[in-house]
Amino acid sequence: QEKAQVEEARYKLSDKASLAAFLQDADIRLIRAPYLFHLRRHNIPLPRRQEAEGEVCEKDSVQMSALVTHSEVRKWAAGSKDAIICSVSHAWETREHPDPCCFQLGHLVDTISLYEAAYYSEIWVFYDYTSLYQFERETDAQRESFARAMGNMHVMYAHDCSLTLRIEGLTPPHIWNAMLKDESRKVPVYHMPSGSLQALPLKELMHNRTPYLQRGWCLAEVQWSAVRGTTAQNQCIYGFYDESSSGQVPLTPEAFAEQMRTSAFTHRNDAETVVELQKKVFFERVTCCKEVFFENLLEEDLEKLVESLEHYKDLRSFKLKNWEGTPELVASLVQVLGASTCLEELCIMHGDNYRGGEENQGTGNCLAKALGEVLRHNCTLKKITLGFNGIETEGCKALLAGLRRNKIITEINIRYEIDADPEVLVKVEKIVAANQAGVVQNAFKRFWNVFFKARTAETENDGPKKASAETENDGPKKASAFPSDLGDAGAQALAAMLRENRSVETVDLDYKGIGELGCQALLEALRQNSRVWEMELRRNPEISDEVQKEIQELVEANKEALRRQKEA
């Protein structure tokens, strides 16, 4: 399987138009799901691109080409056609054909049939043997197409608008050996001696049983796929955990280069090419990545992630679910994240069936202690979610100590840390609630300073004069631009403003989620404010009729006083 020299990467990895341009420029053809279903039903091995071009398939009694046309891809990029693009990463099990036993085909069909059942979208598949022109490429156009495709092959695996399906295992020995013995089962392949397509038994093909994770180009595809922001776009559909890595975490260029030194390549000089391209793709994606969501990480994956995280310079949201790691490793992870100057949201959770274990003893508390230390100095984190990590009272107290030094965190969820003392959890939540109220109040202060602050009279000749009613109250008369989730904290902040403000006359707080605490604060403010003559508080069901009535009496009194002032 020959590999072309890699060209300078020139396709953006974030928009549909760029992916469509690559598919058209390199003349890559995607495979329709119904055609793969047809091959699997009849136990037919995947054909080369040259033979697949003339094939057809059928869906809902409608006949169509087996390969997706470039016109359809352009429509998909423009948004007028809906499809999910899947790129398959797999090993070539013989030199002439990657999947002579149809084992990979079976796993691929099992997976994409689920996608087709779950979505209305069409499923388009990239599988190199059928999507690219294969040996022997007989025309200049075929050779140029292959060279362009290989020159930017990372696009198929790193693009935001595609997902990777990894087949990491080889055909099991019992299936392989059975086909070796059965000479009646033959595989259509290009036969070099005759220069034509011929059906040959497996024993006449050149076998390659090198494991997937020891192959250079397979590892490159794993890494290109791992630089996406979410592991949901990078799935192993066969062979998961059979080897030392789950392939979910991007390696640093240095770690990848080290890995390449022991990997197998058909042409050894391909290793340097792959290393350089991985480096370009890594820095293109990682340095500008804003959100990541990693799932199902082994301990060795977590170690690699800690090494890579320092390169995520613009990361705003980090989510980790279902993971394994020692207490020391978890502490290192939190410390690296805590040093970020951009991170606003942090979520670290085990699955809801996690209950610790001897190998993870103390991990939850170590996580909480490290996070408590981070919160003493971090100025960007606003939201934290922890769950099922096995955090006990000791860890929660450490978290509490950090929060007492932090005024930035406005949301924390640790209710699923069931081993912790409920009283400590309540204290944590109270501190966060106070932070939230402070943030809301500061926002109101800024809002008020711009729009509601009363103006005073300027001096004329001999110093300041008493402000008249007109000059004192020439600011905005109505306050209504409040969020629907204003709540008690927002109402308390507004009340603080109304104790000083003398320009606002009407306040609309209809359906703002205000309860008794917020309403009491507003009531106290109105006792000091004689300017507000209307306050709308409908559809706030937690406010009692008694308090509502008292507020309305105060604003009515203000209204009557203003009427008399105008008449006078």
Side-chain angles (χ1 to χ4, degrees):
Q1 185 187 5
E2 65 182 271
K3 300 288 184 180
Q5 187 73 13
V6 177
E7 302 170 354
E8 182 85 16
R10 59 189 178 87
Y11 295 98
K12 293 181 180 179
L13 300 175
S14 57
D15 63 280
K16 284 185 171 183
S18 188
L19 178 55
F22 173 55
L23 291 170
Q24 182 164 317
D25 292 347
D27 191 19
I28 297 171
R29 299 289 292 276
L30 304 176
I31 314 165
R32 299 185 199 276
Y35 181 61
L36 296 171
F37 299 160
H38 165 77
L39 294 176
R40 205 269 182 91
R41 276 196 303 269
H42 297 282
N43 202 29
I44 301 172
L46 283 153
R48 293 189 309 169
R49 160 73 178 273
Q50 288 91 320
E51 285 70 52
E53 287 184 334
E55 295 290 295
V56 296
C57 60
E58 187 176 289
K59 182 179 180 181
D60 299 330
S61 301
V62 176
Q63 199 171 70
M64 63 196 80
S65 62
L67 304 182
V68 179
T69 65
H70 292 315
S71 173
E72 290 175 287
V73 172
R74 289 193 295 271
K75 290 178 180 177
W76 167 79
S80 59
K81 193 170 185 64
D82 193 20
I84 296 173
I85 295 178
C86 306
S87 296
V88 183
S89 176
H90 63 97
W92 278 56
E93 299 197 46
T94 72
R95 182 187 65 181
E96 297 83 1
H97 195 286
D99 183 33
C101 301
C102 299
F103 183 76
Q104 296 178 18
L105 175 63
H107 279 280
L108 179 58
V109 166
D110 288 344
T111 299
I112 63 174
S113 62
L114 296 176
Y115 278 95
E116 188 172 71
Y119 299 98
Y120 291 109
S121 311
E122 293 184 28
I123 311 298
W124 297 345
V125 177
F126 171 81
Y127 188 100
D128 55 3
Y129 187 68
T130 306
S131 296
L132 309 178
Y133 288 112
Q134 299 301 320
F135 187 81
E136 181 175 15
R137 290 169 279 277
E138 298 176 347
T139 67
D140 289 342
Q142 290 180 358
R143 287 186 282 271
E144 183 179 351
S145 168
F146 185 81
R148 285 178 178 270
M150 298 310 301
N152 288 287
M153 185 48 60
H154 68 284
V155 175
M156 295 308 306
Y157 298 95
H159 202 283
D160 285 339
C161 298
S162 69
L163 61 89
T164 299
L165 303 178
R166 306 192 322 270
I167 304 174
E168 294 190 356
L170 301 179
T171 301
H174 69 281
I175 296 176
W176 186 267
N177 292 332
M179 188 165 174
L180 275 175
K181 295 175 182 177
D182 186 359
E183 296 190 25
S184 65
R185 289 186 60 189
K186 297 184 178 181
V187 186
V189 295
Y190 179 78
H191 185 239
M192 290 200 330
S194 66
S196 63
L197 194 72
Q198 291 193 18
L200 302 176
L202 178 58
K203 70 176 186 179
E204 293 186 25
L205 306 183
M206 184 174 290
H207 304 174
N208 185 352
R209 302 293 286 171
T210 304
Y212 174 94
L213 288 175
Q214 293 178 21
R215 301 184 185 221
W217 282 94
C218 290
L219 288 171
E221 290 162 3
V222 167
Q223 281 304 300
W224 296 334
S225 304
V227 295
R228 296 193 190 99
T230 171
T231 51
Q233 288 180 267
N234 179 21
Q235 302 176 21
C236 182
I237 62 175
Y238 177 70
F240 196 48
Y241 292 165
D242 282 357
E243 301 289 347
S244 60
S245 172
S246 67
Q248 303 287 72
V249 174
L251 298 177
T252 63
E254 296 79 11
F256 181 73
E258 181 64 29
Q259 192 181 57
M260 287 297 98
R261 289 193 181 97
T262 57
S263 300
F265 282 93
T266 304
H267 305 289
R268 193 61 226 170
N269 59 349
D270 283 347
E272 184 178 344
T273 298
V274 170
V275 166
E276 284 303 309
L277 183 53
Q278 187 270 346
K279 183 177 181 179
K280 290 178 183 177
V281 175
F282 179 87
F283 286 115
E284 178 182 348
R285 298 310 307 272
V286 163
T287 53
C288 63
C289 182
K290 288 182 168 52
E291 299 180 6
V292 294
F293 183 13
F294 294 103
E295 294 182 275
N296 306 316
L297 298 192
L298 301 174
E299 184 175 324
E300 48 266 40
D301 292 320
L302 207 56
E303 289 177 354
K304 295 168 185 173
L305 180 59
V306 171
E307 293 177 5
S308 298
L309 275 175
E310 64 178 273
H311 298 289
Y312 285 78
K313 303 297 185 182
D314 200 26
L315 190 62
R316 309 302 172 89
S317 173
F318 177 88
K319 296 180 181 179
L320 174 63
K321 186 177 180 181
N322 297 333
W323 51 276
E324 296 177 11
T326 63
E328 296 77 16
L329 183 55
V330 171
S332 297
L333 173 69
V334 173
Q335 288 164 6
V336 171
L337 291 169
S340 168
T341 58
C342 300
L343 191 67
E344 297 178 354
E345 180 180 6
L346 175 64
C347 173
I348 300 180
M349 298 181 69
H350 276 292
D352 56 12
N353 61 348
Y354 175 77
R355 291 296 179 268
E358 291 185 7
E359 70 279 7
N360 291 305
Q361 193 68 37
T363 300
N365 285 339
C366 196
L367 164 64
K369 289 176 181 178
L371 191 53
E373 286 298 317
V374 162
L375 292 178
R376 292 172 182 268
H377 57 78
N378 183 277
C379 298
T380 61
L381 267 174
K382 297 177 181 177
K383 179 179 179 181
I384 296 175
T385 300
L386 303 170
F388 305 107
N389 297 300
I391 298 176
E392 300 170 324
T393 301
E394 177 189 353
C396 266
K397 286 181 177 178
L399 192 59
L400 185 61
L403 284 168
R404 287 186 172 129
R405 302 274 295 273
N406 185 294
K407 303 298 180 185
I408 307 299
I409 295 290
T410 56
E411 186 176 343
I412 192 164
N413 185 350
I414 54 174
R415 279 295 175 184
Y416 292 105
E417 301 296 352
I418 59 175
D419 296 323
D421 184 345
E423 292 185 10
V424 179
L425 296 180
V426 169
K427 289 180 181 178
V428 168
E429 292 181 345
K430 281 185 176 179
I431 290 178
V432 173
N435 285 352
Q436 187 177 30
V439 170
V440 173
Q441 187 164 355
N442 287 336
F444 265 99
K445 283 181 180 178
R446 291 192 296 272
F447 186 60
W448 173 71
N449 284 337
V450 174
F451 295 105
F452 296 144
K453 194 171 184 180
R455 300 176 184 177
T456 57
E458 297 288 342
T459 60
E460 290 185 355
N461 297 318
D462 55 351
K465 301 169 71 175
K466 184 178 179 180
S468 66
E470 288 77 16
T471 58
E472 182 179 327
N473 298 303
D474 60 355
K477 306 296 184 185
K478 184 176 182 181
S480 60
F482 304 121
S484 60
D485 58 349
L486 187 70
D488 284 341
Q492 289 170 327
L494 176 61
M497 302 304 105
L498 291 177
R499 281 194 287 269
E500 300 178 46
N501 182 271
R502 293 298 180 270
S503 66
V504 172
E505 296 180 349
T506 67
V507 181
D508 185 356
L509 296 172
D510 179 26
Y511 199 41
K512 302 302 180 188
I514 299 172
E516 284 297 317
L517 289 176
C519 205
Q520 285 291 343
L522 291 170
L523 183 60
E524 290 300 320
L526 288 172
R527 287 175 178 149
Q528 302 174 41
N529 184 308
S530 60
R531 192 69 182 178
V532 175
W533 55 266
E534 182 179 351
M535 182 173 285
E536 181 60 73
L537 282 166
R538 290 181 303 168
R539 293 189 290 181
N540 290 286
E542 293 187 22
I543 301 177
S544 67
D545 293 340
E546 190 176 329
V547 176
Q548 281 257 34
K549 181 180 178 182
E550 190 169 353
I551 286 177
Q552 292 308 315
E553 287 175 353
L554 285 171
V555 297
E556 285 294 332
N558 287 349
K559 187 175 184 179
E560 179 62 20
L562 287 170
R563 185 185 65 78
R564 290 175 182 173
Q565 182 181 354
K566 288 180 180 179
E567 288 178 352

